[in-house]
Amino acid sequence: MDILKLATQTRTFRRFDENLPIATTDLHELVELARLAGSARNGQPWQYMVVNDRDICGKIFPYIGWAGYLADWKGPIAGERPTAYILCLLNHNWLKGTEKEAYFDLGIASQNILLGASTKHLGGCRIGAFSPKVKNIFAIPDHLSLELVIALGSPVEQVQIDDIDENGEIKYWRDEQQLHHVPKRKLQDVLIDIDCVIPETQ
């Protein structure tokens, strides 16, 4: 698939078809993409737990936040909730650099997961807003810290990319047809040219 098309269609999805489970093999293939991602100092400090058991997914769901800009929306209703999660855990025994570097790694790895999900006609949402109670569902050892939850499923919503308007509004929103709009800065706005202040070598 063309990389631009893949990147464009890899959006954040928050509503899914609960009748379409995700196979464990598919989740392992997504973690494989995370494993192959670049890592600062090649420390590779992240580990991943896949969850697709319906009951456990149901235990996770109440403790995660969904869309900060959609104040009146409390998250997906029954029948539209994730059918799988990937829990991203920082292994402090494997941390070779700084935690800041580790979070750069997680950004790369989690994007690989979502790109891979898109090729499987799946979608996902990276969730950092979750209650500490999520951790209590599992017997997580002390050297691991849960830092990110990736919700996954077969999307039942459409996401449209819009140019940011003249007011510079960046908040995503939904219209009357429940089409999810995501404002993005234009290419000419993110490209920048800065003068060099170091004199040329004589």
Side-chain angles (χ1 to χ4, degrees):
M1 181 185 294
D2 175 81
I3 186 64
L4 179 59
K5 181 180 179 181
L6 178 60
T8 301
Q9 74 181 36
T10 302
R11 313 276 23 111
T12 296
F13 294 98
R14 298 176 176 87
R15 295 167 53 220
F16 310 98
D17 186 344
E18 269 186 87
N19 293 317
L20 298 176
I22 303 177
T24 301
T25 53
D26 284 329
L27 294 170
H28 286 179
E29 288 172 3
L30 296 181
V31 173
E32 175 73 352
L33 296 177
R35 182 186 74 84
L36 294 172
S39 176
R41 307 173 197 246
N42 203 32
Q44 308 166 69
W46 292 97
Q47 292 185 276
Y48 308 89
M49 178 177 175
V50 301
V51 178
N52 59 356
D53 178 273
R54 191 179 185 93
D55 290 339
I56 300 177
C57 286
K59 288 179 170 62
I60 294 172
F61 177 80
Y63 299 127
I64 56 179
W66 280 98
Y69 288 149
L70 304 178
D72 296 331
W73 189 64
K74 304 306 179 185
I77 61 174
E80 294 186 349
R81 293 171 180 169
T83 55
Y85 295 94
I86 296 178
L87 308 184
C88 304
L89 300 116
L90 180 59
N91 186 326
H92 294 269
N93 292 341
W94 292 354
L95 189 62
K96 300 302 182 186
T98 65
E99 288 197 10
K100 180 179 179 180
E101 290 173 328
Y103 289 116
F104 288 147
D105 291 358
L106 182 58
I108 300 167
S110 61
Q111 183 67 6
N112 276 10
I113 288 173
L114 293 183
L115 288 166
S118 186
T119 68
K120 296 176 179 291
H121 306 289
L122 301 171
C125 180
R126 282 175 281 210
I127 300 169
F130 55 85
S131 166
K133 293 180 180 179
V134 174
K135 304 172 186 178
N136 298 335
I137 298 171
F138 307 96
I140 298 176
D142 291 341
H143 69 283
L144 297 178
S145 59
L146 177 61
E147 302 294 333
L148 187 70
V149 175
I150 303 178
L152 294 161
S154 180
V156 294
E157 63 179 346
Q158 289 185 312
V159 178
Q160 175 176 300
I161 296 176
D162 302 328
D163 287 337
I164 288 181
D165 63 24
E166 62 276 6
N167 297 319
E169 182 56 71
I170 61 169
K171 293 181 179 179
Y172 49 76
W173 58 282
R174 289 185 182 154
D175 61 26
E176 293 80 3
Q177 288 73 41
Q178 294 303 300
L179 179 64
H180 191 89
H181 294 262
V182 180
K184 288 288 186 182
R185 302 186 196 280
K186 298 176 184 177
L187 178 62
Q188 60 264 34
D189 294 330
V190 300
L191 286 171
I192 189 168
D193 188 12
I194 302 174
D195 291 337
C196 177
V197 296
I198 301 176
E200 293 184 13
T201 303
Q202 300 298 321

